């Protein structure tokens, strides 16, 4: 179960019992994730300080980027919208989960604008910052659809009303929300779609789950397709995937804007 649920024995058990009663399958699926954390370790990544320039090289996009203005405007609109709704924004605002960082949001924007994907898949919505960036960029492209696999916080049901709060109604015609954990929903979705052009992992950041999602999507990732993988510093999932991929993928490790985390980029060669 997530770290917040791990605080304090009695409280932890009560919350797990409640989650179990609400959705036994999803609650039980946390147990192997918890067990696998035992083998997790942080990785000494080589972080690319010029990640944004190098992302554009990887995407075959111009640098300096003409899309920066659009991405910054979108960020300001998201922050203003969350404030107007009285919602805290940033780190640890959705239980122990955080809203997407500004650097990841910019990477999503640029990946969508520069590669004009038909099929975009993400995991982990929370209040929907990545969702909003992807959908706005798809709307500007006038092309493409986003599928979002999301298990609303299983141990804090009061947060469920905030799911997708950053996503306005006008953007939702290009959006399919797929409720449930990625372990349950991603295999069927990727099989059905048959091809993914852009994938964003931002769900449960364990090595086991990150690796599972990357392996599943890699099976159908289009040539030149891109994966953006958030929160890779605390576990070995991304690093091991990249090592196993060898020459089949180009990768970058990028710092978050607030310096607290790292996200990874993959481009299938
Ligand atoms: C870090 S937050 C997502 C932040 C979001 N992408 C954004 O742009 O602000 C993680 C989200 O993944 C959800 N989640 C947790 N475990 C999951 C799983 N196994 N599969 C899918 N979603 C999961 C959480 O409930 C939460 O909504």
């Amino acid at each position: 179960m997530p770290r917040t649920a791990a605080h304090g024995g009695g409280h932890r058990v009560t919350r797990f019992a409640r989650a179990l009663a609400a959705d036994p399958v999803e609650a039980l699926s946390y147990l192997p994730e918890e067990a696998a954390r035992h083998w997790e370790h942080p990785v000494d990544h080589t972080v690319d300080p010029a990640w944004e320039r190098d992302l554009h090289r990887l995407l075959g996009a111009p640098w300096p980027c003409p899309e920066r203005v659009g991405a910054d405007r979108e960020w300001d609109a998201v922050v203003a919208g969350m404030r107007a709704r009285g919602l805290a924004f940033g780190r640890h605002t959705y239980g122990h989960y955080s809203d997407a960082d500004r650097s990841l949001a910019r990477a999503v924007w640029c990946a969508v604008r520069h590669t004009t994907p038909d099929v975009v898949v993400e995991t982990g919505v929370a209040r929907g910052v990545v969702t909003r960036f992807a959908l706005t960029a798809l709307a500007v492209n006038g092309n493409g659809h986003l599928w979002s696999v999301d298990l609303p916080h299983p141990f804090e049901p009061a947060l469920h009303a905030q799911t997708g709060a950053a996503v306005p109604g006008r953007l939702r015609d290009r959006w399919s929300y797929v409720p449930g954990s990625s372990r349950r929903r991603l295999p069927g979705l990727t099989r059905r779609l048959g091809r993914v052009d852009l994938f964003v992992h931002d769900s449960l950041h364990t090595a086991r789950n990150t690796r599972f999602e990357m392996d599943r999507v890699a099976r159908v990732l289009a040539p030149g397709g891109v994966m953006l993988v958030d929160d890779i510093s605390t576990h070995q999932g991304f690093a091991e995937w990249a090592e196993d991929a060898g020459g089949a993928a180009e990768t970058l490790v990028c710092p978050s804007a607030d310096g607290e985390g790292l996200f990874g980029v993959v481009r299938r060669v």
Side-chain angles (χ1 to χ4, degrees):
M1 73 196 78
R3 280 172 201 133
T4 42
H7 297 325
H11 188 46
R12 181 184 185 189
V13 171
T14 310
R15 294 203 326 166
F16 186 73
R18 263 199 229 117
L20 196 60
D23 192 336
V25 177
E26 294 292 13
L28 287 171
S29 75
Y30 263 104
L31 297 178
E33 295 298 341
E34 268 305 289
R37 278 188 199 274
H38 184 69
W39 289 277
E40 263 178 20
H41 55 82
V43 172
D44 194 14
H45 286 286
T46 304
V47 181
D48 182 353
W51 71 270
E52 209 156 3
R53 182 202 64 198
D54 291 337
L55 172 68
H56 284 73
R57 178 189 49 73
L58 206 101
L59 298 176
W63 184 259
C65 178
E67 289 299 325
R68 180 63 180 263
V69 177
D72 284 350
R73 197 183 303 128
E74 196 63 14
W75 182 262
D76 292 343
V78 168
V79 174
M82 298 295 261
R83 288 212 180 109
R85 297 183 65 153
L87 295 172
F89 184 69
R91 291 275 167 199
H92 314 300
T93 47
Y94 183 84
H96 69 297
Y97 293 112
S98 304
D99 294 306
D101 177 82
R102 187 173 194 151
S103 293
L104 178 66
R106 274 215 304 266
V108 170
W109 180 271
C110 285
V112 175
R113 291 289 290 130
H114 295 309
T115 68
T116 56
D118 293 325
V119 179
V120 183
V121 173
E122 71 167 338
T123 57
V125 170
R127 285 96 65 77
V129 179
V130 163
T131 314
R132 158 84 173 253
F133 267 72
L135 288 173
T136 306
L138 289 174
V140 177
N141 288 355
N143 180 63
H145 195 92
L146 170 68
W147 283 263
S148 301
V149 177
D150 179 55
L151 179 68
H153 203 307
F155 302 99
E156 300 203 27
L159 293 172
H160 294 186
Q162 296 181 21
T163 300
V167 186
R170 66 183 156 78
L171 293 174
R172 294 187 179 216
D173 57 337
R174 292 185 183 277
W175 190 31
S176 299
Y177 179 84
V178 183
S181 63
S182 56
R183 191 147 292 258
R184 288 181 69 202
R185 300 294 180 220
L186 198 56
L189 178 66
T190 50
R191 252 196 316 273
R192 189 160 57 82
L193 294 173
R195 190 190 97 202
V196 173
D197 299 307
L198 172 63
F199 172 63
V200 185
H201 156 87
D202 198 8
S203 61
L204 182 65
H205 305 303
T206 58
R208 182 175 183 269
N209 191 55
T210 301
R211 185 69 208 243
F212 170 77
E213 292 187 9
M214 292 183 76
D215 283 340
R216 279 293 167 167
V217 173
R219 293 181 189 183
V220 293
L221 191 66
V226 174
M227 295 201 259
L228 302 173
V229 183
D230 200 19
D231 272 318
I232 61 169
S233 60
T234 55
H235 64 75
Q236 68 276 20
F238 179 85
E240 287 186 357
W241 187 94
E243 197 180 322
D244 291 351
E250 274 193 88
T251 60
L252 293 176
V253 174
C254 316
S256 61
D258 67 5
E260 276 196 39
L262 300 174
F263 64 97
V265 179
V266 170
R267 181 144 209 210
R268 186 178 157 192
V269 175

